[in-house]
Amino acid sequence: MTSQPPRKPYPSDLSDARWALIEPTLTAWRAERQKTSLNLGGRIADLREVLNAILYVNRTGIPWRYLPHDFPAHTTVFSHFSAWTADGTIEKLG
């Protein structure tokens, strides 16, 4: 399996210091979700990249569907954003 080189950062990306503050909350969120999931073997999204994509949409104002291809799929990003909004995770990150 070949790994892709890291993408060039966007100005809206999280710094390492901010990610260090946010990562425990999102990792705990994922662990809770996995307790009730069917574990069908789907691809697990990189939470930092999902959050970077959300920040990119927020900063640029583009539609979800127009996310650059070096981010996770727009459907993945939007589903995470919707779940985080619905359960209050977004407020915990603020």
Side-chain angles (χ1 to χ4, degrees), residues 3-90:
S3 63
Q4 294 181 348
R7 67 171 176 76
K8 289 185 177 182
Y10 291 101
S12 57
D13 283 357
L14 290 167
S15 67
D16 290 339
R18 286 189 188 249
W19 175 244
L21 296 172
I22 291 170
E23 187 269 336
T25 301
L26 296 184
T27 301
W29 174 85
R30 173 173 277 160
E32 283 300 311
R33 295 278 293 226
Q34 287 178 333
K35 288 179 185 177
T36 59
S37 73
L38 297 176
N39 292 324
L40 297 176
R43 183 179 289 173
I44 297 175
D46 179 329
L47 294 175
R48 184 174 183 170
E49 284 299 287
V50 169
L51 190 53
N52 281 333
I54 291 168
L55 294 171
Y56 185 88
V57 168
N58 178 265
R59 183 70 176 134
T60 63
I62 63 165
W64 295 103
R65 183 176 294 274
Y66 288 17
L67 270 172
H69 294 289
D70 51 357
F71 283 123
H74 73 277
T75 52
T76 300
V77 174
F78 183 74
S79 68
H80 278 74
F81 174 75
S82 296
W84 292 344
T85 300
D87 69 10
T89 300
I90 290 289

